[in-house]
Structures are given as structure tokens and as C-alpha cells.
């Protein structure tokens, strides 16, 4: 890719140096802008999650029925509302709930992806490295996983294990290992053909050692990119679960839950649904942009 | 320079998304901002609607036709296979029973003109003459006999309705327009049940010729409308029954039911005039309907009641004092006023005022946190005791209610831990097994409008939805009530029973539900039913 | 090749068997269909027992599974508890709308993703690239239901261009297709862009460029073709899962598709419909994946099928 840029630059070689330099830095900025923006948005939501206790003006659960559905203070004609982003169905401060909501989304995204990543990586490594019947078995397991309806799985897990946010994390983690496994399997298959891996094998390196020393490091960047993109997806999936009636309990300030439970207020109290929607959009967009940029840098041929 | 532009763009894009989301909130006040994005695309004819839509009725060109948006499709039109309100909303216009429960819930003659007990346990009906089914088949004593033979026989055993009619032994044809019902025992609510789903009269020849499966999808009855089109989970079309026995009715030519599960979509269709009546307006949508210039909200009390049922096996709820304390601790009036927007009534026991057996002398538990604290202290409940509350995850309104309850429990020193679960896992697995925490949402239809069914199934030992509650006195009263058909005597027993149940407080009694319909002003003579059974024969449109 | 296909088909049988086993037993952990059927009717315990008996639900599970498998072998999926219809008829009824929506979604996704992907690859690192990406990512920046509701509010309520719900003519297809297409286009555009870049960065393209061949010719000849393979794969695999995976879109737009049928069946614990629906979708999905795998090797002869076993 460097070469393409170089050729282009050659054409404008005659331009004035200062202008060229300026143009270059603008170009650099643009070229990486989406990554910067993504990273910025990710940092914002992660810091909201980490420092919620310090920045949120109120406690997330502090309710008062008399403040029910108070509009944002700047849009309130009566001037009574004291909430910057309005109050929700139980008179809780929307701003605080959105800030605390970052904790839930990040938690779901991070730990859910961790489970999916570990499962998927192990499956993908085994499947790609050992091949043969192991590969067949794991790929058929993947077929079963993909064919099994997600919501049915969620209902089953919750009726066996009971409800709660960790169950949701587990559900999301378990149902999404296939994406990781497939990508890693593909890479391992082509790595296996590489001379140095073959050589390591020839000198009698154990499978575990070869995987750890030669294979795993080479798929790490793909795992990282996938994980970033999956965090974005998990944040959305958590919202979908609430929509389907399988979400976290309503006292937990989850963005998805807030959005799903207040969707019918959209015509009468727009702020209850709009601001959580905004929060989700920016965070998810952030992770997606950042993940895309990471992929461009680390692993441009990754097909996801 | 470029950078500056970029930021502008970003801001613009993000604001556009925000506006996208918010622009409907601008029905009244946010118009100025909303229009920026809305008018960007120009379109000829349709665009005029857009501005008119706000103030003028958007419905055009549907003379004599009514369109109703309903949330669910019963999947099966056979009356013996269903208990669903979704069925009755539509099928009430297609089928009729021997007796009819009108919109005020009074029993009146339907396909039978009169009835009386001619002997002990023999109930005789005189049938209406000159009535035909939609397929031209005559309605007569044979049809009645066929209907009940089918209901009580093998076909009926596959469905849930049969169980309601076990008091009937068999039906005997006396002459073409007279039938005798021979009963095994006296059922005090039998006449009401004959107005219910399973007892509507079905056409014998039609079913015998076409089979049950065909009938499931192509129902034929004697009602004011006949079903001419049914696309599963999409649309049901009813057309006027020209030969309807009520003179001059129905007034509409055609009624279309659109099945729209998502409430926000249903509301969108109502606001744009694509449907005239919206069944089940959510509490969160009432304001949007009330604010519209061409829509009105039509409300009626239902027999459905809501409560949080206690698991009386769990400590500390095995102590009636604690259960009473919780009833005192929660401000039901405030919940109804604030969260339900006033659409609900407090209840003293687990029945509505529509129910026979409701005790008008019992006042719902007042809001008295001090008394609650006292009772809790007496019972030795420690501060900070945690109570698990289970509630279905798909009921957004009740989620608000239960959070308010949690808030009130905290005020008296308890801690509530709300758990949301899949609705049907809760009712069919967790509740019957007593695995639904300390307390859980219980909604109860009470469709017989008689406390007997409710009380027996919820408080009699060993019933499906009663895994834990037992009281000797309650058992006695229930048995006594079932032993007689004398309504006065039953009422007396119910008064005693309700007092006992009030005292024992097996539930945290919350409220009676309201049925809410959004109705376009062009619809005339529509009355929201108490029991979801929409009556359309008198309805007209402008 | 033939051998490979046969082996995959045999695997498919095992996969279907495994799925049937898992679905059959796991769904029975989650509640009682008769109790749910009865819920609104408030029945006695005896009545519930009787209906359960009549539906054959009181038999030992193994026996029930045996009956189910026996039917399955003769391609009989049983009858729905709720509608009393054969499950195969119900699935057939729903396939039309489902396929239509899947195709509509894919069409919209292609219409968005290809121009955006190509433009942002060619104009890489410029504002065009940036906004193109943002645009293509919008669909996967909101929860599905929220995207659907917003489309309804803007295009059905405010602009009144398209109906908000129903399955009635091409106009009703527009909004659900857009929603679905926007969701797909996020990933699709990403794929198109990166495959385009892969080629654009190669030496010979640069050479071609410097020789003065017009840009668009180069793009169409080489890069576009390169982008086709991964995108067809993606769309092929998606098509399989789209058949059952558009539940939320179908719900929001009241689209009578297979996904909604299965979700309703899951909610009502209508066992035969769940079992039949899941199995049929699984078979379709696996077959579509197989076809995609095979066509992959046609599109690009360098790729061998069944790569792992030599």
C-alpha cells in the first residue's frame, strides 16, 4: 500500500515543499481519522464506565415518582426540571443512568467477547492445526451452533441457570465462538504450510509448543481485530435480548434495556429513548471504526 | 480548512441521527427541527399528507370499511382449540353462542331465545328460527347437538375448552328448535360459560364435509360477519353477512384486521390512518393518542387483575404479618396515578369489581409505611432482608410497576432484587414449581366474572398455579361455595372468603387492568369491550 | 470433488440428527406448552393433565423422541399444537415472504455496500472514505429494533412514503428491506473495500495507472472481480442464516416470515413447529453453505475444497 501512495506522491513532487508537507500531514490525519475518532469514542465510553461514580451527578437507582418523565432542563418550558437529559419512567436522572449504563455495555461487551474469543480460539487452533476428524467435528459443531436459534438458546440457559447479567454474558459468549474459530482455523491452515512451522515440527517440537511459539503469535492480530468488532456487536445483542423480553432486570441501567423499555415513549417523552440510542450508537460506532482501523493496520487481508 | 469541514460534517451527521430519533417527539412542539430532515426528499402527492396528517384525519377512501390493528394471531379459528383473547377479538364477529354476553357483560339471548330448568339437571333451550350459517346451512337443534358432541368428544379433548363444560353430560334434540342439556351436576356459572369461546355453535355439514383442519383456517359461523380471507400472521378480512338475523345489521361492509405485534408499529399505523382502531395501546403511548387531533383513547375496565404473588413457603413470607406489611408498604394509588396514568383501579382481593364475589366492603390496603414497619418488627424481619421479585421481561409497563414496588419496599427497610425472565417460562415452569423467588408477577384474566374459578385455582391446595399456599378455613369455604347454586348463599360465602384472603394476604394486591383502544374519530358507535371481544355490528364509519 | 460432496452430505445428516436431539430435549426444559395454551383460560390441574395426555406429552421422553424421529424419516414434521396444521405446510406458507425479504435485504446491502466500498477504497484516506464508512456502519450502530422503529417513524409516519407494516405489495417490502440491508451493508462494505484495496495496492495496478489507462477500467477489470469472491461467500452464508435470523425485523414490520413463526412457536412452546422449523432451517443453511463452498472453488480455482484434509 505504501507503494501506491508513493506513486501518487511522485506526481505532485513539483509542488512547493511546505504545502506538500502540510498536505501530507492533513492526509495522514485523514487516513487515520476514522481510527482516531473510533479510539476517542471508545475511550470516552470506557472512561464513563470506569469513573461513573465520580462523574455521574446522581446515583443510577435514585428514583422519585414525582419527577417521572421530566424533560431535559433545557427543553423544559416550565423550568421545573433539574435533569440535564431529562428523567426516565421512574424519575431517575437519564444522564446518570447513561453514564452508569456504559459500565453494563462495556462489561457485556468485554467479558462476552472474552468468552467467545477463548472458546473460538481454542476451537479454531485445534481445528486448523490438527485437521482431519478434529476439524470435521469442530466445523460440524459450528454448523450446529449456527443453526440453533439464538433466542431459544437464551431461553434455555435462563430457565436452567436463572436470570441475570452474567447469564447474558455467558449466552453471548457461547453463541458467538464460531466467528473466531473460522477465521483462526483458516489462518492456521495456511501457517501450517509455512516452512518454519514445518521445520519446528521436523525437529520434534511438541504440538503445544509449536502452537504457542509459532502459530498463536501469528493469529493474535486477527483475534484482536475480531474482538474489537465483536464488542460492538455484543453491545447491540444485549439490547436485542431486552427487546425480546430476555434482558437484564430493569433496575440495571443498561443502554439496551433503557432503549427497549422506553421505545413506546418515543412520541411522548423522546428523551427517554433518544439519549440511550445516542450512547449506543456512538459507542458501537467507536468500536467499529477503531476495529476497522486496527484491521487496516494489523491485518488488512482479514475477511470479516 | 478540510479539518474544519470535517467536524461540521461529523456534527451534522450525528445531529441528523439524533433528529431521526427525536423527530416524532416533535408532533407538537419539535416541528421546526424535525422538518429539516423530513422535507429534504420531495415527492408529489404524498407530501401534502405529511403536513395535513398532523391536524387532519389522514384516512381516505375507505367507505364502509374498517381496519383494526391487533397484536396477535390466534393461529387457529376452531373455538374448541383456544383460550386466547386474540381469538375472541376477531371470532366474536364470526361465531355466536346460545347466549350472548353483551358489552355491559349482561347475559342476554343469543341463538337461543329462552331457557329454563325443566327438571333437576335438565336445562332446556328454545332456539331462534330462521338463522343460517355463512355457508347457507340452517341453524337448528342438530347443529347445537353436533357442536356439543364435538366439544365433549374426542376432537374437544385435544383442546383446552372441553374442561370448562364438563358439567354437561349430553345434549338431546327435542324438536328442530328445542334442545335439552342434561347435566352431570349443577354448575353455577354454566350460563356464563355458554357465552364463552368453546360453546359457540359451529356448522355440522361444513365441518363433516371439509374436515377439522379446513375449519381451523376457514371458520364458518352465524355471526354478523363472515371470514373471507385469512393470511396467517398478516391479515384477516371479514365481510358483511347479508343474511344476519338481526334486522339492519351489521352496518359495515368490510372489516380488516391487521396483525401487528409491535406496539410502536401499531401506533404508527394508527397515526397515519392506515388503521382505524388500535387494540392494546400501551400505557407509555396514551399521551401520543390523546394529543392527536383525530384520535381518541377508549378505555374500559377489564376483569384482569395484577398482583405480586408471595411464595408462602419462603421465609419470611410464611408469616401473614409480613405479607400484610408488604401490602401496607406499597402505595398503590401512587403507582396507578403516576405509572399507569390513572388507568387502573386498586383492588382489595384478587378480583375486579366486575367479578361476582367481589367484596365492596373491603377497602384495599391503604398506604401506611409506619404500620408496615411495625408489622415487620413484630414478625422479627431484619432490616435489609432481600426479597427476590420475578417479573416477565417483555412487559415494559409492569417492569415500571415492579421497580416502583421495589422503591417502596426500600422505604420500609427491605431490599428488593428484581429478576426478569422469559414470560412463559415464568408462568409454565417457575410459578407452578414455586421457583419464582419470594414474589412474582401474577396476572389473572378472571374471564368467568365469578370469583369461584380464581379462588379455587389459586388457593385450593395442589392446583397448578398454587404450589405453596394452604389454609384450612379457605379450603372449607371453597368447598361450601362449590356445593350450592344459590347465588345469594354463594355471595355470602364469598364475602367471608374475601375477608379471610384479605387478612391472609397471599398476594400483594395491586390493580385492576384497563383495556385501552386507540380509535380514529371517523369511527362511530365503537365501545371498548371489557373482555377484548370487540362488537362490530353497530359500528359505522364516516 | 464428488467424494467431498458425499462426505459433506453424510455429515449433514449427523448435524441434523444432533440438532434434532438437542432441540427436542432442551426445549422440554423450559416450560409446559399445555400450561401456556391454558394460561388465559385458567384451568384445573386435571384439565391440563388431560390435554397433555391427548397430545402425547405424557409418554416417556425417549418414546416421544422415537415417534418424532420416525416421522422425520418419512419427512413428516408433525402437526402444530396451536394451529393444528402440518408443520411442513406452515413452513411452506412462510418461505415466500422470508426469501423475498432476504433477497430485498441483500439487494439493498449490495446497492449500499458496493458503491461505498469501491469509492472508499479508491478514495482511500479522504473524506469520501470516512463518510462512506460511517454511512455503511450506521446500520450496525443501532440495535435492530431501534433501526426499524426509526425507519418507520421517518418514512412511514413523517414522510408517509411507505407503509409501516404488513405483507402487501412491493411497497411494504421497502422498509424492512432497507433495515435488513443497512444491517448487512456494514460488513459487506468493509469486505468490498478491503478486497478492492488488496488489488489496488498491487504493483501491476500501479503500473497500469502510470501507463495512463483510465482508472475505472482498471477498477472494474481487476479489483471488482477480486471483491466478488469474498462478498459472494459472505452473502451466501448470510442468506442461509437470514432465512431464520431476521426475527426482530419481521417482528417490528409485522412481516409474516419463518423467523417470526419460529419465535412465536418458541414463545408458545409449540414443540413440533420449533423442532420442524429449526431442522428445516438448519438443513437449508448447511446446504447453502455447501453450495457456497463449492462455488468458491469455481470462482477461484486456486482454492481447493476441503482444504484441511489432503
Amino acid at each position: 500500500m505504501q507503494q501506491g501512495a508513493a506513486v501518487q506522491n511522485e506526481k505532485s513532487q513539483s509542488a512547493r515543499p511546505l504545502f506538500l508537507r502540510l498536505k501530507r500531514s492533513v492526509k495522514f490525519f485523514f487516513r487515520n481519522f476514522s481510527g482516531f475518532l473510533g479510539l476517542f469514542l471508545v475511550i470516552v465510553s470506557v472512561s464513563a464506565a470506569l469513573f461513573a461514580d465520580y462523574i455521574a451527578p446522581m446515583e443510577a437507582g435514585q428514583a422519585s415518582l414525582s419527577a417521572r418523565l421530566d424533560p431535559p432542563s433545557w427543553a423544559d418550558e416550565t423550568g421545573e426540571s433539574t435533569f440535564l437529559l431529562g428523567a426516565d419512567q421512574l424519575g431517575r436522572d437519564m444522564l446518570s443512568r447513561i453514564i452508569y449504563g456504559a459500565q453494563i455495555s462495556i462489561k457485556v461487551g468485554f467479558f462476552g467477547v472474552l468468552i467467545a474469543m477463548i472458546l473460538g480460539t481454542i476451537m479454531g487452533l485445534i481445528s486448523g492445526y490438527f485437521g482431519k476428524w478434529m476439524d470435521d467435528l469442530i466445523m460440524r459443531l459450528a454448523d450446529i451452533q449456527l443453526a440453533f436459534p439464538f433466542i431459544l438458546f437464551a431461553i434455555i440457559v435462563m430457565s436452567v441457570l436463572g436470570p441475570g447479567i452474567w447469564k447474558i454474558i455467558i449466552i453471548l459468549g457461547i453463541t458467538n465462538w464460531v466467528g473466531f474459530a473460522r477465521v483462526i482455523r483458516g489462518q492456521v491452515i495456511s501457517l501450517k504450510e509455512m516452512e518454519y512451522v514445518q521445520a519446528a515440527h521436523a525437529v520434534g517440537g511438541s504440538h503445544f509448543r509449536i502452537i504457542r511459539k509459532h502459530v498463536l503469535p501469528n493469529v493474535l492480530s486477527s483475534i484482536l481485530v475480531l474482538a474489537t468488532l465483536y464488542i460492538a456487536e455484543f453491545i447491540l445483542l444485549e439490547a436485542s435480548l431486552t427487546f425480546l423480553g430476555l434482558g437484564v432486570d430493569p433496575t440495571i441501567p443498561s443502554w439496551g434495556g433503557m432503549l427497549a423499555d422506553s421505545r413506546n415513549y418515543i412520541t411522548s417523552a423522546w428523551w427517554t429513548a433518544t439519549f440511550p440510542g445516542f450512547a449506543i450508537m456512538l459507542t458501537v460506532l467507536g468500536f467499529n471504526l477503531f476495529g476497522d482501523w486496527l484491521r487496516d493496520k494489523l491485518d488488512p487481508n482479514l475477511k470479516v | 480548512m478540510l479539518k474544519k469541514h470535517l467536524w461540521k460534517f461529523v456534527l451534522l451527521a450525528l445531529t441528523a441521527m439524533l433528529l431521526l430519533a427525536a423527530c416524532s417527539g416533535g408532533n407538537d412542539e419539535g416541528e421546526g427541527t424535525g422538518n429539516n430532515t423530513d422535507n429534504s426528499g420531495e415527492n408529489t402527492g404524498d407530501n401534502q399528507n405529511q403536513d395535513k396528517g398532523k391536524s387532519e384525519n389522514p384516512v381516505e377512501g375507505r367507505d364502509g370499511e374498517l381496519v383494526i390493528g391487533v397484536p396477535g394471531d390466534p393461529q387457529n379459528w376452531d373455538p374448541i382449540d383456544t383460550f386466547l383473547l386474540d381469538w375472541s377479538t376477531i371470532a366474536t364477529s364470526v361465531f355466536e353462542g346460545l347466549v350472548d354476553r353483551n358489552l355491559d357483560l349482561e347475559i342476554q339471548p343469543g341463538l337461543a331465545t329462552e331457557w329454563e330448568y325443566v327438571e333437576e339437571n335438565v336445562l332446556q333451550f328454545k332456539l331462534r328460527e330462521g338463522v343460517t350459517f355463512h355457508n347457507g346451512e340452517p341453524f337448528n337443534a342438530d347443529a347445537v347437538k353436533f357442536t356439543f358432541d364435538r366439544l365433549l368428544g374426542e376432537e374437544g379433548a385435544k383442546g383446552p375448552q372441553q374442561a370448562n363444560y364438563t358439567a354437561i353430560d349430553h345434549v338431546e334434540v327435542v324438536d328442530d328448535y328445542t334442545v335439552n342439556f342434561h347435566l352431570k351436576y349443577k354448575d353455577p356459572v354454566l350460563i356464563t360459560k355458554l357465552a364463552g369461546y368453546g360453546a359457540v355453535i359451529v356448522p355440522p355439514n361444513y365441518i363433516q364435509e371439509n374436515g377439522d383442519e379446513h375449519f381451523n383456517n376457514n371458520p364458518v359461523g352465524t355471526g354478523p360477519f363472515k371470514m373471507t380471507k385469512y393470511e396467517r400472521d398478516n391479515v384477516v378480512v371479514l365481510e358483511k353477512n347479508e343474511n344476519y338475523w338481526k334486522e339492519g345489521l351489521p352496518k359495515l361492509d368490510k372489516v380488516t384486521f391487521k396483525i401487528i405485534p409491535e406496539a410502536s408499529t401499531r401506533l404508527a399505523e394508527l397515526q397515519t390512518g392506515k388503521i382505524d382502531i388500535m387494540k392494546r395501546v400501551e400505557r407509555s403511548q396514551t399521551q401520543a393518542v390523546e394529543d392527536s387531533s383525530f384520535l381518541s383513547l377508549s378505555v374500559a375496565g377489564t376483569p384482569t387483575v395484577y398482583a405480586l404473588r408471595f411464595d408462602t413457603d419462603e421465609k419470611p413470607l410464611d408469616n401473614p404479618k409480613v405479607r400484610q406489611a408488604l401490602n401496607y408498604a406499597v402505595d398503590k394509588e401512587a403507582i396507578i396515578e403516576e405509572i399507569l396514568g390513572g388507568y387502573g383501579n386498586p383492588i382489595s382481593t384478587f378480583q375486579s369489581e366486575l367479578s361476582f364475589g367481589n367484596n365492596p366492603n373491603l377497602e384495599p390496603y391503604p398506604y401506611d409505611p409506619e404500620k408496615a414497619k411495625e408489622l415487620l418488627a413484630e414478625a422479627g424481619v431484619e432490616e435489609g432482608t432481600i426479597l427476590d421479585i420475578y417479573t416477565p421481561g417483555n412487559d415494559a409497563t409492569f417492569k415500571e410497576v415492579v421497580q416502583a414496588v421495589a422503591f417502596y419496599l426500600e422505604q420500609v427497610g427491605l431490599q428488593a432484587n428484581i429478576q426478569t425472565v422469559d414470560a412463559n417460562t415464568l408462568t409454565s415452569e417457575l410459578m407452578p414449581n414455586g421457583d419464582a423467588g419470594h414474589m412474582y408477577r401474577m396476572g389473572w384474566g378472571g374471564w368467568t366474572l365469578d370469583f369461584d374459578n380464581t379462588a379455587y385455582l389459586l388457593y385450593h391446595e395442589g392446583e397448578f398455579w398454587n404450589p405453596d399456599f394452604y389454609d384450612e378455613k379457605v379450603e372449607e369455604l371453597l368447598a361450601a361455595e362449590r356445593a350450592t347454586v344459590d347465588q345469594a348463599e354463594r355471595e355470602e360465602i364469598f364475602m367471608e372468603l374475601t375477608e379471610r384472603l384479605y387478612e391472609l394476604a397471599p398476594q400483594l394486591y395491586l390493580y385492576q387492568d384497563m383495556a385501552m383502544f386507540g380509535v380514529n374519530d371517523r369511527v362511530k358507535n365503537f365501545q371498548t369491550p371489557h373482555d377484548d371481544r370487540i362488537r362490530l355490528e353497530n359500528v359505522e364509519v364516516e | 470433488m464428488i467424494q467431498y460432496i458425499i462426505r459433506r452430505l453424510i455429515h449433514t445428516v449427523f448435524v441434523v440428527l444432533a440438532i434434532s436431539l438437542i432441540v427436542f430435549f432442551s426445549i422440554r426444559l423450559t416450560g409446559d406448552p399445555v400450561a401456556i395454551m391454558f394460561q388465559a383460560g385458567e384451568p384445573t390441574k386435571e384439565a391440563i393433565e388431560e390435554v397433555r395426555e391427548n397430545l402425547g406429552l405424557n409418554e416417556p421422553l425417549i418414546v416421544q423422541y422415537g415417534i418424532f424421529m420416525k416421522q422425520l424419516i418419512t419427512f413428516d414434521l408433525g402437526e402444530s399444537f396451536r394451529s393444528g396444521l402440518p408443520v411442513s405446510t406452515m413452513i411452506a406458507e412462510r418461505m415466500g415472504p422470508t426469501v423475498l425479504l432476504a433477497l430485498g435485504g441483500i439487494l439493498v446491502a449490495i446497492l449500499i455496500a458496493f458503491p461505498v466500498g469501491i469509492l472508499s477504497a479508491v478514495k482511500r484516506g479522504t473524506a469520501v472514505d470516512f463518510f462512506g464508512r460511517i454511512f455503511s456502519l450506521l446500520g450496525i450502530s443501532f440495535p435492530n429494533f431501534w433501526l426499524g422503529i426509526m425507519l418507520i417513524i421517518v418514512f412511514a409516519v413523517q414522510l408517509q412514503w411507505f407503509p409501516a407494516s404488513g405483507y402487501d405489495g412491493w411497497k411494504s417490502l421497502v422498509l424492512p428491506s432497507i433495515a435488513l440491508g443497512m444491517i448487512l451493508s456494514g460488513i459487506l462494505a468493509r469486505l468490498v473495500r478491503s478486497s478492492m484495496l488488496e488489488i489496488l495496492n498491487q504493483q501491476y495496478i500501479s503500473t497500469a495507472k502510470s501507463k495512463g489507462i483510465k482508472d475505472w477500467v482498471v477498477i472494474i477489470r481487476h479489483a471488482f472481480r477480486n471483491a466478488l469472491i469474498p462478498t459472494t461467500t459472505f452473502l451466501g452464508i448470510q442468506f442461509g442464516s437470514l432465512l431464520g435470523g431476521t426475527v426482530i425485523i419481521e417482528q417490528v414490520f409485522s412481516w409474516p416470515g419463518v423467523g417470526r413463526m419460529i419465535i412465536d412457536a418458541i414463545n408458545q412452546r409449540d414443540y413440533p413447529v420449533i423442532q420442524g422449523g429449526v431442522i428445516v432451517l438448519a438443513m437449508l443453511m448447511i446446504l447453502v453453505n455447501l453450495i457456497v463452498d463449492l462455488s468458491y472453488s469455481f470462482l477461484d480455482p486456486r482454492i481447493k475444497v476441503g482444504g484441511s484434509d489432503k
Side-chain angles (χ1 to χ4, degrees), chain B residues 18-47:
Chain B
L18 182 67
L19 285 177
L20 270 183
C23 60
S24 70
N27 256 352
D28 298 309
E29 74 284 344
E31 205 53 302
T33 47
N35 272 346
N36 282 345
T37 43
D38 293 342
N39 286 338
S40 54
E42 29 89 63
N43 198 329
T44 46
D46 288 8
N47 242 11

Side-chain angles (χ1 to χ4, degrees), chain C residues 67-134:
Chain C
I67 295 171
F68 169 60
M69 284 317 286
K70 219 167 109 190
Q71 287 178 334
L72 192 63
I73 288 165
T74 56
F75 297 102
D76 174 6
L77 298 172
E79 280 178 9
S80 158
F81 291 164
R82 281 215 309 162
S83 72
L85 283 181
V87 174
S88 45
T89 315
M90 290 176 71
I91 295 176
E93 254 177 26
R94 300 306 189 90
M95 259 318 165
T98 295
V99 171
L100 207 59
L101 178 57
L103 290 176
I106 287 178
L107 182 72
V108 172
I110 289 174
L111 287 179
I112 298 175
F114 273 83
V116 168
I118 292 172
L119 266 179
S120 57
V122 174
K123 303 270 176 198
R124 180 165 184 235
T126 64
V128 176
D129 184 12
F130 177 73
F131 290 114
R133 275 181 189 214
I134 299 254

Side-chain angles (χ1 to χ4, degrees), chain B residues 397-444:
Chain B
T397 303
F398 201 82
K399 275 199 246 176
E400 288 179 29
V401 171
V402 91
Q403 288 181 88
V405 169
F407 168 77
Y408 286 117
L409 295 188
E410 272 164 37
Q411 306 296 308
V412 297
L414 299 169
Q415 256 202 306
N417 181 16
I418 299 170
Q419 303 277 13
T420 50
V421 286
D422 169 54
N424 282 329
T425 308
L426 181 63
T427 43
S428 73
E429 182 82 16
L430 302 178
M431 275 160 52
N433 293 335
D435 288 336
H438 293 90
M439 48 216 268
Y440 47 86
R441 187 200 78 156
M442 182 171 254
W444 193 255

Side-chain angles (χ1 to χ4, degrees), chain A residues 1-4 7-8 26-27 30-31 33-35 37 127-128 131-132 135-136 140-144 146-149 151-152 155-156 159-160 182 185 189 192-193 229 232-233 235-236 239-244 256 259-260 262-263 266-267 273-274 277-278 280-282 284-285 288-289 292-293 295-297 300-304, chain C residues 4 7-8 11-12 14-16 18-19 22-23 26-27 29-31 122 124-127 129-130 133-134 137-146 149 153 187 190-191 193-195 197-198 200-203 206 209-210 230 237 241 247-248 251-252 262-263 266-267 269 274 278 281-283 285-286 289 296 306-310:
Chain A
M1 67 186 91
Q2 254 60 22
Q3 282 152 343
V7 173
Q8 271 186 332
V26 169
K27 254 196 161 171
F30 259 127
R31 182 154 287 189
F33 181 75
S34 62
L37 181 66
S127 162
K132 303 216 178 62
D135 182 35
D136 275 342
R140 286 333 115 210
L141 269 181
D143 283 345
I144 293 172
L146 290 178
F148 200 83
I151 173 170
L152 180 55
I155 288 179
I156 291 165
S159 46
V160 177
R182 283 201 169 155
R185 169 182 175 268
I189 288 173
K192 240 179 20 176
E193 307 296 314
L229 296 174
E233 201 180 325
I235 292 173
L236 296 183
S240 300
L241 275 175
T242 312
F243 176 82
L244 294 167
L259 200 53
S262 57
R263 64 184 187 275
I266 180 95
T267 39
T274 305
F278 216 23
I280 285 202
M281 185 197 92
L282 290 178
V284 171
L285 194 65
N288 271 322
L289 285 174
D292 264 1
W293 176 79
R295 195 202 36 182
D296 272 9
K297 295 292 152 198
N301 293 327
L302 185 63
K303 301 277 188 287
V304 275
Chain C
Y4 173 75
R7 210 174 47 124
R8 278 287 293 268
H11 285 174
T12 305
F14 281 107
V15 169
V16 169
I19 288 175
I22 299 171
V23 172
S26 63
I27 187 70
L29 294 172
T30 63
V122 174
R124 180 165 184 235
T126 64
D129 184 12
F130 177 73
R133 275 181 189 214
I134 299 254
L137 284 176
L138 275 185
I140 48 171
S141 295
F142 297 99
N144 299 350
F145 66 87
W146 190 238
I149 291 172
I153 285 172
I187 300 166
R190 199 186 272 163
L191 273 178
R193 180 177 179 276
S194 66
S195 331
L197 282 177
E198 207 174 280
L200 288 178
N201 290 332
Q202 276 167 10
Q203 189 69 48
S206 314
K209 262 188 177 170
S210 61
I237 290 170
S241 53
V247 176
I248 290 177
Q251 185 89 2
V252 171
I262 294 183
I263 209 91
I266 290 174
N267 282 331
R269 310 294 188 271
I274 303 172
V278 170
L281 286 184
M283 291 207 281
M285 210 176 88
I286 294 167
N289 285 2
Y296 206 70
S308 61
D309 57 319
K310 316 238 143 49

